[in-house]
Amino acid sequence: MAGNKEISQAVIARLPRYYRFLDTLEAMGTERISSQELSKLMHVTASQIRQDLNHFGGFGQQGYGYNVTYLKDEIGKILGLDATRQLIVIGAGNLGRALLNYGNFSKSGFLFTAVFDADERKIGDRVGELTVQGMEVLTAYLKEHHVDIAVLTVPRDSAESIARTLIDGGVKAIWNFAHIDLDVPEGIQVENVHLVDSLMKLAYNARESEAK
Amino acid sequence: MAGNKEISQAVIARLPRYYRFLDTLEAMGTERISSQELSKLMHVTASQIRQDLNHFGGFGQQGYGYNVTYLKDEIGKILGLDATRQLIVIGAGNLGRALLNYGNFSKSGFLFTAVFDADERKIGDRVGELTVQGMEVLTAYLKEHHVDIAVLTVPRDSAESIARTLIDGGVKAIWNFAHIDLDVPEGIQVENVHLVDSLMKLAYNARESEAK
DNA sequence: TAGATTGTTAATCGATTAACAATC
DNA sequence: TAGATTGTTAATCGATTAACAATC
């Protein structure tokens, strides 16, 4: 039965991974799977899989396991992949463009609706389907359009002030690629992708592992 | 005193963040800081900071706190930022190019030394200082050059086979941006940057927070 | 029905926080 | 010295794993 307690971030963070494996299984034509089999595939314990899923509901059947398509769809619903989210990108640099051109987001219902940049010379540039707009029209844009998530791919120094503009404009979620930890008010969601941190962690582990 | 036990990934993952905050403090001219003050800044407990640091050594002084520059440098050494690492990029698409052009890595000693792509039409293209090479010369390249970390920015379907080529060629660490969990042998380090997963987590949290 | 596997409770493990003696 | 703050041990908390009754 679905619990009603606060669900930990550790559990949430694992959901997309379940979804990914189930998607692959479905594509391979697998109809059913037990927590045991899935656990071998994913290198986690079967216990953890069952615990995680039961935070949201009983999706399996005793003696049978889980129906792959059904479970995938249910996790999709939990993650909200059945709905469309409007995303805007702030910063039309290399990273911003890479994200805009990356095809994998739209499959999951994430739709880019606008790009902004402070650099005069970039304004008017085409990126995929979109045209780069100046930063000065951002506030006006936010008044007229619904934005679910703002993607921040700007230099460190401008990140904090742009974040404030976004929040003042009603944005509730920021996907932050700037190399800084944004200080945001209660109720605003920030997900950081600190590439440098990630690389440093890898480098540390690589050296540790070599040293043995 | 420095412990000698296995240090958890949770602790390692926090080191770059400490480094970042100390770097900012140093740039602002702050000479010393107590775990108490740093904890307020970073929104973590002072206990955690002291515990984390003491995995690696006693960097502070009772009654004084920590010298910012000294602590920053020591964490830098732990992370190996005083050494240069050779990185190659596999996949000269938007994301690969974005990473190659991103300036923040070289500051920390990460140096891109080659780019490869399977697409004939991209071979010979310039990306920053480098020229895109064909995938067929990858194995030869690995024989002749030392590579610390391979950055994988290729489509999902080719990731697994390229990873094998890299590992066969002696690569010990892979920074994986492909939307797949690589299955690698013991002793090979993989750090995943699953952008889709990250975005899904943010979207989930944003909706949860709105729902309240 | 018998066998399999879930959903869920209980036990364990590890990470975080609190407390305080050591010491600058 | 007195005050402040670390390094470190002990207590707490939460997450993971194990176990098993419920049930398909």
Short mmCIF file of all heavy atoms in Angstrom, two decimals, chain A residues 131-192:
data_model
loop_
_atom_site.label_atom_id
_atom_site.label_comp_id
_atom_site.label_asym_id
_atom_site.label_seq_id
_atom_site.Cartn_x
_atom_site.Cartn_y
_atom_site.Cartn_z
N THR A 131 14.66 31.17 -31.35
CA THR A 131 15.48 32.34 -31.62
C THR A 131 15.94 32.94 -30.29
O THR A 131 15.13 33.12 -29.38
CB THR A 131 14.66 33.41 -32.38
OG1 THR A 131 14.14 32.82 -33.57
CG2 THR A 131 15.54 34.60 -32.74
N VAL A 132 17.23 33.23 -30.18
CA VAL A 132 17.76 33.77 -28.93
C VAL A 132 17.20 35.17 -28.69
O VAL A 132 17.25 36.03 -29.56
CB VAL A 132 19.31 33.83 -28.97
CG1 VAL A 132 19.84 34.43 -27.67
CG2 VAL A 132 19.89 32.45 -29.20
N GLN A 133 16.67 35.38 -27.47
CA GLN A 133 16.13 36.68 -27.10
C GLN A 133 17.04 37.35 -26.08
O GLN A 133 17.81 36.69 -25.39
CB GLN A 133 14.74 36.51 -26.49
CG GLN A 133 13.74 35.83 -27.42
CD GLN A 133 12.37 35.67 -26.79
OE1 GLN A 133 11.72 36.64 -26.43
NE2 GLN A 133 11.94 34.42 -26.63
N GLY A 134 16.92 38.67 -26.01
CA GLY A 134 17.75 39.42 -25.07
C GLY A 134 17.28 39.24 -23.64
O GLY A 134 16.09 38.97 -23.40
N MET A 135 18.19 39.39 -22.71
CA MET A 135 17.86 39.19 -21.30
C MET A 135 16.84 40.22 -20.81
O MET A 135 16.09 39.94 -19.87
CB MET A 135 19.14 39.30 -20.46
CG MET A 135 19.08 38.54 -19.18
SD MET A 135 19.02 36.77 -19.47
CE MET A 135 20.75 36.39 -19.39
N GLU A 136 16.81 41.38 -21.47
CA GLU A 136 15.92 42.45 -20.99
C GLU A 136 14.44 42.13 -21.22
O GLU A 136 13.58 42.76 -20.62
CB GLU A 136 16.30 43.79 -21.64
CG GLU A 136 16.01 43.91 -23.13
CD GLU A 136 17.06 43.22 -23.99
OE1 GLU A 136 18.05 42.69 -23.42
OE2 GLU A 136 16.88 43.19 -25.22
N VAL A 137 14.17 41.14 -22.07
CA VAL A 137 12.76 40.80 -22.29
C VAL A 137 12.31 39.60 -21.44
O VAL A 137 11.17 39.15 -21.53
CB VAL A 137 12.46 40.52 -23.79
CG1 VAL A 137 12.76 41.75 -24.63
CG2 VAL A 137 13.25 39.33 -24.29
N LEU A 138 13.23 39.10 -20.61
CA LEU A 138 12.93 37.90 -19.81
C LEU A 138 11.74 38.11 -18.88
O LEU A 138 10.80 37.30 -18.84
CB LEU A 138 14.18 37.50 -19.01
CG LEU A 138 14.03 36.34 -18.02
CD1 LEU A 138 13.53 35.09 -18.71
CD2 LEU A 138 15.35 36.05 -17.31
N THR A 139 11.77 39.21 -18.14
CA THR A 139 10.68 39.47 -17.19
C THR A 139 9.33 39.56 -17.89
O THR A 139 8.33 39.00 -17.43
CB THR A 139 10.97 40.75 -16.38
OG1 THR A 139 12.17 40.54 -15.61
CG2 THR A 139 9.82 41.07 -15.43
N ALA A 140 9.32 40.26 -19.03
CA ALA A 140 8.08 40.38 -19.81
C ALA A 140 7.62 39.00 -20.28
O ALA A 140 6.43 38.67 -20.22
CB ALA A 140 8.30 41.31 -20.99
N TYR A 141 8.57 38.19 -20.71
CA TYR A 141 8.24 36.84 -21.17
C TYR A 141 7.58 36.03 -20.05
O TYR A 141 6.58 35.34 -20.26
CB TYR A 141 9.49 36.12 -21.67
CG TYR A 141 9.22 34.73 -22.20
CD1 TYR A 141 8.94 34.50 -23.54
CD2 TYR A 141 9.20 33.62 -21.34
CE1 TYR A 141 8.66 33.23 -24.02
CE2 TYR A 141 8.91 32.35 -21.80
CZ TYR A 141 8.65 32.16 -23.15
OH TYR A 141 8.37 30.91 -23.61
N LEU A 142 8.16 36.13 -18.86
CA LEU A 142 7.64 35.36 -17.73
C LEU A 142 6.22 35.79 -17.36
O LEU A 142 5.43 35.00 -16.86
CB LEU A 142 8.56 35.51 -16.51
CG LEU A 142 9.96 34.88 -16.65
CD1 LEU A 142 10.82 35.22 -15.44
CD2 LEU A 142 9.87 33.37 -16.83
N LYS A 143 5.90 37.04 -17.61
CA LYS A 143 4.54 37.53 -17.32
C LYS A 143 3.53 36.89 -18.26
O LYS A 143 2.40 36.61 -17.88
CB LYS A 143 4.49 39.05 -17.50
CG LYS A 143 4.85 39.83 -16.25
CD LYS A 143 4.11 41.17 -16.19
CE LYS A 143 4.65 42.03 -15.05
NZ LYS A 143 5.88 42.78 -15.48
N GLU A 144 3.97 36.66 -19.49
CA GLU A 144 3.02 36.22 -20.52
C GLU A 144 2.98 34.70 -20.73
O GLU A 144 2.04 34.20 -21.33
CB GLU A 144 3.35 36.90 -21.85
CG GLU A 144 2.89 38.35 -21.91
CD GLU A 144 3.63 39.14 -22.99
OE1 GLU A 144 3.94 38.54 -24.04
OE2 GLU A 144 3.93 40.33 -22.75
N HIS A 145 4.04 34.01 -20.30
CA HIS A 145 4.09 32.58 -20.57
C HIS A 145 4.28 31.78 -19.29
O HIS A 145 4.95 32.23 -18.36
CB HIS A 145 5.25 32.25 -21.53
CG HIS A 145 5.14 32.96 -22.84
ND1 HIS A 145 5.58 34.26 -23.02
CD2 HIS A 145 4.64 32.56 -24.05
CE1 HIS A 145 5.36 34.62 -24.27
NE2 HIS A 145 4.80 33.61 -24.92
N HIS A 146 3.72 30.60 -19.31
CA HIS A 146 3.94 29.70 -18.20
C HIS A 146 5.29 28.99 -18.38
O HIS A 146 5.58 28.49 -19.46
CB HIS A 146 2.83 28.66 -18.11
CG HIS A 146 3.04 27.66 -17.02
ND1 HIS A 146 2.91 27.98 -15.69
CD2 HIS A 146 3.42 26.37 -17.05
CE1 HIS A 146 3.17 26.93 -14.95
NE2 HIS A 146 3.50 25.92 -15.75
N VAL A 147 6.09 28.99 -17.34
CA VAL A 147 7.40 28.32 -17.39
C VAL A 147 7.49 27.36 -16.21
O VAL A 147 7.36 27.77 -15.06
CB VAL A 147 8.55 29.35 -17.32
CG1 VAL A 147 9.88 28.65 -17.15
CG2 VAL A 147 8.55 30.21 -18.56
N ASP A 148 7.69 26.08 -16.49
CA ASP A 148 7.80 25.11 -15.41
C ASP A 148 9.22 25.07 -14.84
O ASP A 148 9.41 24.98 -13.64
CB ASP A 148 7.41 23.72 -15.93
CG ASP A 148 5.94 23.62 -16.26
OD1 ASP A 148 5.13 23.73 -15.32
OD2 ASP A 148 5.61 23.47 -17.45
N ILE A 149 10.18 25.11 -15.74
CA ILE A 149 11.58 24.97 -15.32
C ILE A 149 12.46 25.92 -16.11
O ILE A 149 12.34 26.00 -17.34
CB ILE A 149 12.06 23.51 -15.54
CG1 ILE A 149 11.27 22.54 -14.65
CG2 ILE A 149 13.56 23.38 -15.28
CD1 ILE A 149 11.51 21.07 -14.97
N ALA A 150 13.35 26.62 -15.41
CA ALA A 150 14.33 27.46 -16.09
C ALA A 150 15.69 26.78 -16.01
O ALA A 150 16.10 26.31 -14.95
CB ALA A 150 14.40 28.83 -15.44
N VAL A 151 16.35 26.69 -17.14
CA VAL A 151 17.65 26.05 -17.22
C VAL A 151 18.72 27.14 -17.25
O VAL A 151 18.72 28.00 -18.12
CB VAL A 151 17.76 25.19 -18.50
CG1 VAL A 151 19.07 24.42 -18.50
CG2 VAL A 151 16.58 24.25 -18.62
N LEU A 152 19.59 27.10 -16.25
CA LEU A 152 20.56 28.17 -16.08
C LEU A 152 21.94 27.73 -16.56
O LEU A 152 22.64 26.98 -15.88
CB LEU A 152 20.59 28.55 -14.60
CG LEU A 152 20.98 29.97 -14.21
CD1 LEU A 152 20.18 31.00 -14.97
CD2 LEU A 152 20.78 30.17 -12.71
N THR A 153 22.33 28.21 -17.72
CA THR A 153 23.66 27.88 -18.27
C THR A 153 24.41 29.17 -18.55
O THR A 153 24.76 29.46 -19.69
CB THR A 153 23.53 27.05 -19.57
OG1 THR A 153 22.72 27.78 -20.50
CG2 THR A 153 22.89 25.71 -19.32
N VAL A 154 24.61 29.91 -17.48
CA VAL A 154 25.30 31.20 -17.59
C VAL A 154 26.55 31.16 -16.74
O VAL A 154 26.71 30.28 -15.89
CB VAL A 154 24.39 32.35 -17.10
CG1 VAL A 154 23.14 32.44 -17.96
CG2 VAL A 154 24.02 32.17 -15.63
N PRO A 155 27.46 32.12 -16.95
CA PRO A 155 28.66 32.15 -16.11
C PRO A 155 28.29 32.36 -14.65
O PRO A 155 27.27 32.97 -14.34
CB PRO A 155 29.44 33.35 -16.65
CG PRO A 155 28.92 33.57 -18.03
CD PRO A 155 27.49 33.16 -18.00
N ARG A 156 29.15 31.85 -13.82
CA ARG A 156 29.00 31.92 -12.38
C ARG A 156 28.57 33.30 -11.85
O ARG A 156 27.68 33.39 -11.01
CB ARG A 156 30.40 31.57 -11.83
CG ARG A 156 30.52 31.48 -10.37
CD ARG A 156 32.02 31.48 -10.02
NE ARG A 156 32.19 31.58 -8.60
CZ ARG A 156 32.62 30.58 -7.83
NH1 ARG A 156 32.95 29.44 -8.37
NH2 ARG A 156 32.71 30.75 -6.53
N ASP A 157 29.18 34.33 -12.36
CA ASP A 157 28.97 35.66 -11.79
C ASP A 157 27.57 36.22 -12.01
O ASP A 157 27.08 37.01 -11.21
CB ASP A 157 30.01 36.65 -12.33
CG ASP A 157 31.40 36.32 -11.83
OD1 ASP A 157 31.50 35.70 -10.75
OD2 ASP A 157 32.38 36.67 -12.50
N SER A 158 26.94 35.81 -13.09
CA SER A 158 25.61 36.36 -13.35
C SER A 158 24.50 35.45 -12.85
O SER A 158 23.34 35.84 -12.83
CB SER A 158 25.44 36.62 -14.86
OG SER A 158 25.80 35.48 -15.60
N ALA A 159 24.86 34.26 -12.41
CA ALA A 159 23.85 33.26 -12.05
C ALA A 159 22.92 33.74 -10.94
O ALA A 159 21.69 33.62 -11.04
CB ALA A 159 24.52 31.96 -11.65
N GLU A 160 23.50 34.26 -9.87
CA GLU A 160 22.72 34.65 -8.70
C GLU A 160 21.67 35.71 -9.06
O GLU A 160 20.51 35.59 -8.66
CB GLU A 160 23.67 35.17 -7.62
CG GLU A 160 23.10 35.21 -6.22
CD GLU A 160 23.01 33.81 -5.59
OE1 GLU A 160 24.06 33.21 -5.24
OE2 GLU A 160 21.87 33.34 -5.43
N SER A 161 22.07 36.71 -9.83
CA SER A 161 21.14 37.80 -10.12
C SER A 161 20.06 37.34 -11.11
O SER A 161 18.89 37.73 -11.01
CB SER A 161 21.89 39.03 -10.64
OG SER A 161 21.83 39.13 -12.03
N ILE A 162 20.43 36.49 -12.05
CA ILE A 162 19.43 35.96 -12.98
C ILE A 162 18.44 35.07 -12.25
O ILE A 162 17.24 35.10 -12.50
CB ILE A 162 20.10 35.21 -14.14
CG1 ILE A 162 20.91 36.18 -15.00
CG2 ILE A 162 19.06 34.49 -14.99
CD1 ILE A 162 21.78 35.52 -16.04
N ALA A 163 18.96 34.29 -11.31
CA ALA A 163 18.07 33.43 -10.52
C ALA A 163 17.02 34.27 -9.81
O ALA A 163 15.84 33.90 -9.76
CB ALA A 163 18.88 32.62 -9.52
N ARG A 164 17.44 35.41 -9.29
CA ARG A 164 16.49 36.29 -8.60
C ARG A 164 15.41 36.79 -9.57
O ARG A 164 14.22 36.80 -9.24
CB ARG A 164 17.23 37.46 -7.95
CG ARG A 164 16.97 37.56 -6.45
CD ARG A 164 17.65 38.77 -5.84
NE ARG A 164 19.11 38.75 -6.06
CZ ARG A 164 19.97 38.09 -5.28
NH1 ARG A 164 19.54 37.42 -4.23
NH2 ARG A 164 21.26 38.12 -5.54
N THR A 165 15.86 37.19 -10.76
CA THR A 165 14.90 37.64 -11.77
C THR A 165 13.88 36.54 -12.09
O THR A 165 12.68 36.79 -12.18
CB THR A 165 15.63 38.02 -13.08
OG1 THR A 165 16.63 39.00 -12.79
CG2 THR A 165 14.66 38.58 -14.12
N LEU A 166 14.38 35.33 -12.24
CA LEU A 166 13.50 34.20 -12.54
C LEU A 166 12.49 33.98 -11.43
O LEU A 166 11.29 33.82 -11.68
CB LEU A 166 14.34 32.93 -12.74
CG LEU A 166 15.19 32.88 -14.01
CD1 LEU A 166 16.22 31.76 -13.93
CD2 LEU A 166 14.30 32.70 -15.24
N ILE A 167 12.98 33.99 -10.21
CA ILE A 167 12.12 33.73 -9.06
C ILE A 167 11.09 34.85 -8.89
O ILE A 167 9.91 34.59 -8.65
CB ILE A 167 12.97 33.54 -7.78
CG1 ILE A 167 13.79 32.25 -7.90
CG2 ILE A 167 12.09 33.50 -6.54
CD1 ILE A 167 14.91 32.13 -6.91
N ASP A 168 11.55 36.08 -9.07
CA ASP A 168 10.61 37.21 -9.03
C ASP A 168 9.54 37.07 -10.11
O ASP A 168 8.40 37.48 -9.93
CB ASP A 168 11.36 38.53 -9.23
CG ASP A 168 12.21 38.89 -8.02
OD1 ASP A 168 12.03 38.26 -6.96
OD2 ASP A 168 13.07 39.79 -8.14
N GLY A 169 9.92 36.50 -11.21
CA GLY A 169 8.97 36.30 -12.32
C GLY A 169 8.08 35.09 -12.14
O GLY A 169 7.28 34.77 -13.00
N GLY A 170 8.24 34.39 -11.02
CA GLY A 170 7.32 33.29 -10.72
C GLY A 170 7.85 31.90 -11.02
O GLY A 170 7.13 30.91 -10.84
N VAL A 171 9.09 31.79 -11.47
CA VAL A 171 9.66 30.47 -11.74
C VAL A 171 9.88 29.71 -10.44
O VAL A 171 10.39 30.27 -9.48
CB VAL A 171 10.99 30.59 -12.53
CG1 VAL A 171 11.70 29.25 -12.59
CG2 VAL A 171 10.72 31.14 -13.92
N LYS A 172 9.47 28.45 -10.43
CA LYS A 172 9.51 27.67 -9.19
C LYS A 172 10.60 26.60 -9.20
O LYS A 172 10.87 25.98 -8.17
CB LYS A 172 8.16 26.98 -8.96
CG LYS A 172 7.02 27.94 -8.64
CD LYS A 172 7.11 28.41 -7.20
CE LYS A 172 5.84 29.15 -6.75
NZ LYS A 172 5.56 30.35 -7.54
N ALA A 173 11.22 26.37 -10.37
CA ALA A 173 12.22 25.31 -10.46
C ALA A 173 13.37 25.74 -11.37
O ALA A 173 13.14 26.25 -12.47
CB ALA A 173 11.60 24.03 -11.00
N ILE A 174 14.58 25.56 -10.87
CA ILE A 174 15.77 25.96 -11.64
C ILE A 174 16.70 24.77 -11.79
O ILE A 174 17.08 24.13 -10.80
CB ILE A 174 16.50 27.12 -10.94
CG1 ILE A 174 15.60 28.37 -10.90
CG2 ILE A 174 17.81 27.44 -11.65
CD1 ILE A 174 16.19 29.53 -10.12
N TRP A 175 17.06 24.49 -13.02
CA TRP A 175 18.06 23.45 -13.31
C TRP A 175 19.37 24.19 -13.50
O TRP A 175 19.60 24.82 -14.52
CB TRP A 175 17.65 22.70 -14.58
CG TRP A 175 18.28 21.35 -14.73
CD1 TRP A 175 18.82 20.57 -13.75
CD2 TRP A 175 18.40 20.60 -15.95
NE1 TRP A 175 19.26 19.38 -14.29
CE2 TRP A 175 19.03 19.38 -15.63
CE3 TRP A 175 18.05 20.85 -17.28
CZ2 TRP A 175 19.30 18.41 -16.59
CZ3 TRP A 175 18.31 19.89 -18.23
CH2 TRP A 175 18.94 18.67 -17.88
N ASN A 176 20.21 24.14 -12.49
CA ASN A 176 21.38 25.02 -12.44
C ASN A 176 22.68 24.36 -12.87
O ASN A 176 23.17 23.44 -12.22
CB ASN A 176 21.54 25.54 -11.01
CG ASN A 176 22.77 26.41 -10.86
OD1 ASN A 176 23.06 27.25 -11.70
ND2 ASN A 176 23.52 26.20 -9.77
N PHE A 177 23.25 24.86 -13.95
CA PHE A 177 24.54 24.38 -14.44
C PHE A 177 25.67 25.35 -14.09
O PHE A 177 26.83 25.08 -14.38
CB PHE A 177 24.51 24.19 -15.95
CG PHE A 177 23.71 23.00 -16.39
CD1 PHE A 177 22.32 23.05 -16.44
CD2 PHE A 177 24.34 21.81 -16.75
CE1 PHE A 177 21.58 21.95 -16.84
CE2 PHE A 177 23.60 20.70 -17.16
CZ PHE A 177 22.22 20.77 -17.20
N ALA A 178 25.33 26.50 -13.50
CA ALA A 178 26.37 27.46 -13.12
C ALA A 178 27.16 26.91 -11.94
O ALA A 178 26.62 26.22 -11.09
CB ALA A 178 25.74 28.80 -12.77
N HIS A 179 28.42 27.26 -11.91
CA HIS A 179 29.34 26.71 -10.93
C HIS A 179 29.24 27.44 -9.60
O HIS A 179 30.22 28.01 -9.09
CB HIS A 179 30.77 26.79 -11.49
CG HIS A 179 31.75 25.94 -10.75
ND1 HIS A 179 33.03 26.36 -10.50
CD2 HIS A 179 31.64 24.72 -10.20
CE1 HIS A 179 33.66 25.42 -9.84
NE2 HIS A 179 32.84 24.42 -9.64
N ILE A 180 28.06 27.41 -9.03
CA ILE A 180 27.79 28.15 -7.80
C ILE A 180 26.55 27.53 -7.16
O ILE A 180 25.72 26.97 -7.86
CB ILE A 180 27.54 29.65 -8.11
CG1 ILE A 180 27.39 30.47 -6.83
CG2 ILE A 180 26.33 29.82 -9.01
CD1 ILE A 180 27.22 31.96 -7.12
N ASP A 181 26.46 27.58 -5.84
CA ASP A 181 25.26 27.09 -5.16
C ASP A 181 24.30 28.24 -4.95
O ASP A 181 24.57 29.13 -4.14
CB ASP A 181 25.62 26.46 -3.82
CG ASP A 181 26.21 25.07 -3.99
OD1 ASP A 181 26.83 24.82 -5.04
OD2 ASP A 181 26.04 24.24 -3.08
N LEU A 182 23.20 28.22 -5.65
CA LEU A 182 22.22 29.30 -5.54
C LEU A 182 21.55 29.28 -4.18
O LEU A 182 21.19 28.23 -3.67
CB LEU A 182 21.16 29.15 -6.63
CG LEU A 182 21.65 29.18 -8.07
CD1 LEU A 182 20.51 28.85 -9.01
CD2 LEU A 182 22.27 30.52 -8.40
N ASP A 183 21.40 30.48 -3.63
CA ASP A 183 20.67 30.62 -2.38
C ASP A 183 19.25 31.07 -2.72
O ASP A 183 19.05 32.20 -3.12
CB ASP A 183 21.37 31.66 -1.49
CG ASP A 183 21.76 31.08 -0.15
OD1 ASP A 183 21.01 30.23 0.36
OD2 ASP A 183 22.81 31.47 0.39
N VAL A 184 18.31 30.17 -2.59
CA VAL A 184 16.95 30.52 -3.01
C VAL A 184 15.98 30.39 -1.85
O VAL A 184 16.23 29.67 -0.89
CB VAL A 184 16.48 29.59 -4.16
CG1 VAL A 184 17.34 29.78 -5.39
CG2 VAL A 184 16.46 28.14 -3.72
N PRO A 185 14.86 31.12 -1.92
CA PRO A 185 13.87 31.05 -0.84
C PRO A 185 13.19 29.68 -0.78
O PRO A 185 13.20 28.92 -1.76
CB PRO A 185 12.85 32.11 -1.22
CG PRO A 185 13.27 32.71 -2.50
CD PRO A 185 14.50 32.07 -2.98
N GLU A 186 12.62 29.41 0.36
CA GLU A 186 11.78 28.23 0.58
C GLU A 186 10.78 28.06 -0.56
O GLU A 186 10.22 29.02 -1.06
CB GLU A 186 11.03 28.45 1.91
CG GLU A 186 10.20 27.31 2.42
CD GLU A 186 11.09 26.29 3.13
OE1 GLU A 186 12.28 26.59 3.39
OE2 GLU A 186 10.58 25.20 3.41
N GLY A 187 10.59 26.83 -0.98
CA GLY A 187 9.55 26.57 -1.97
C GLY A 187 10.06 26.60 -3.41
O GLY A 187 9.35 26.23 -4.33
N ILE A 188 11.28 27.09 -3.61
CA ILE A 188 11.89 27.07 -4.94
C ILE A 188 12.79 25.84 -5.04
O ILE A 188 13.61 25.60 -4.17
CB ILE A 188 12.73 28.34 -5.19
CG1 ILE A 188 11.92 29.61 -4.92
CG2 ILE A 188 13.31 28.33 -6.60
CD1 ILE A 188 10.73 29.81 -5.83
N GLN A 189 12.60 25.06 -6.08
CA GLN A 189 13.40 23.86 -6.26
C GLN A 189 14.61 24.15 -7.13
O GLN A 189 14.47 24.74 -8.20
CB GLN A 189 12.57 22.76 -6.93
CG GLN A 189 11.31 22.39 -6.18
CD GLN A 189 11.63 21.80 -4.82
OE1 GLN A 189 12.55 21.01 -4.68
NE2 GLN A 189 10.88 22.22 -3.80
N VAL A 190 15.78 23.72 -6.67
CA VAL A 190 16.99 23.85 -7.48
C VAL A 190 17.63 22.48 -7.61
O VAL A 190 17.79 21.76 -6.63
CB VAL A 190 18.01 24.82 -6.84
CG1 VAL A 190 19.30 24.84 -7.65
CG2 VAL A 190 17.43 26.22 -6.74
N GLU A 191 17.94 22.10 -8.83
CA GLU A 191 18.71 20.89 -9.06
C GLU A 191 20.03 21.32 -9.69
O GLU A 191 20.05 21.94 -10.76
CB GLU A 191 17.94 19.93 -9.99
CG GLU A 191 18.69 18.70 -10.42
CD GLU A 191 18.61 17.54 -9.42
OE1 GLU A 191 17.82 17.61 -8.46
OE2 GLU A 191 19.37 16.58 -9.61
N ASN A 192 21.11 21.01 -9.01
CA ASN A 192 22.42 21.42 -9.50
C ASN A 192 23.06 20.34 -10.36
O ASN A 192 23.02 19.17 -10.01
CB ASN A 192 23.36 21.69 -8.31
CG ASN A 192 22.95 22.91 -7.53
OD1 ASN A 192 22.79 24.00 -8.09
ND2 ASN A 192 22.74 22.75 -6.24
#
